[in-house]
Amino acid sequence: MSGGGIGRRALIGGAGVLAASPGLALAAPAKPRVSITTDHGQIVVELEDRRAPLTSTNFLRYVDARKYDGGSFFRAARSRGRPKEGTIVGGPGPKVHPFPPIAHESTTQTGLKHLAGTISLGRFAPGSATDIFFICASPQPFLDAHPGAKGDNLGYAAFGQVVQGMAVVHRILSLPTNGKSPFPDQKGQWLKPPVSILSMRRMG
């Protein structure tokens, strides 16, 4: 009985040491980071894998399969009259077969917003997103979900933030956009030539 008491006191005492020493407690795992190496420089994004787990996991699946290697940033959508504001859009090369589309994680669900440096997933209808992503060069609040608005009001699935390389994002946004667009509403937004994605890798 005395041995059990000692064991219990030791256990309680050990817990007390941990409580008094936060540095000894288990730290939350670091957020995953991805290095995007382009022929115009490097961009590093940090993913909100706990707030947007489905979208982050989908993106990392493409990164780990190296499907973005040899892809490009092909579109720079500048805000009308504000050439330093807008988004840059990237994806794999045309021969890459995408994984199945994922369910939509809206900004009302994740609490994330389309701020300067936000990385988000492109889509057509909700639930159609696969491998096309974009990075905001400036705040783009109209890309957030707006419940109660008319039509498709679910916005886009933000899932991370640029932590290094915003100068590269702005550089890409400023490049010539006289490329041929397959969509009439994107005329004057397609880069010519596109910016090559040399590689995309997890960091750490």
Side-chain angles (χ1 to χ4, degrees):
M1 184 168 180
S2 61
I6 292 172
R8 183 172 61 186
R9 286 196 300 272
L11 180 61
I12 294 172
V17 170
L18 286 175
S21 305
L24 295 177
L26 292 176
K31 297 175 184 177
R33 290 188 173 190
V34 172
S35 171
I36 306 171
T37 303
T38 79
D39 58 357
H40 280 67
Q42 182 191 48
I43 303 166
V44 177
V45 293
E46 184 175 81
L47 308 188
E48 293 286 352
D49 60 327
R50 291 182 287 279
R51 298 174 71 181
L54 184 62
T55 313
S56 297
T57 298
N58 176 75
F59 183 72
L60 289 172
R61 187 182 183 190
Y62 284 96
V63 171
D64 292 341
R66 302 192 175 184
K67 285 182 175 283
Y68 288 120
D69 293 12
S72 67
F73 284 98
F74 55 86
R75 183 181 169 209
R78 293 184 283 266
S79 301
R80 182 173 297 179
R82 298 188 296 275
K84 295 184 179 181
E85 300 179 10
T87 63
I88 60 172
V89 185
K95 295 183 179 180
V96 171
H97 185 72
F99 296 122
I102 62 170
H104 181 60
E105 284 182 314
S106 75
T107 53
T108 53
Q109 179 182 345
T110 64
L112 301 172
K113 300 293 183 183
H114 287 86
L115 308 174
T118 294
I119 183 170
S120 191
L121 200 60
R123 67 172 178 85
F124 291 103
S128 66
T130 56
D131 53 13
I132 301 300
F133 66 93
F134 62 90
I135 297 174
C136 298
S138 60
Q140 303 284 292
F142 70 95
L143 298 175
D144 297 336
H146 294 281
K150 294 181 179 179
D152 178 358
N153 56 24
L154 296 180
Y156 292 83
F159 64 97
Q161 191 75 19
V162 173
V163 293
Q164 180 184 322
M166 279 301 293
V168 178
V169 173
H170 285 284
R171 190 179 306 143
I172 294 172
L173 186 71
S174 70
L175 294 173
T177 51
N178 57 347
K180 185 177 180 181
S181 168
F183 307 106
D185 62 336
Q186 295 177 10
K187 184 178 180 180
Q189 297 180 356
W190 281 56
L191 292 165
K192 186 178 181 180
V195 172
S196 297
I197 296 175
L198 305 178
S199 68
M200 288 176 63
R201 297 287 185 273
R202 289 197 199 218
M203 301 179 70

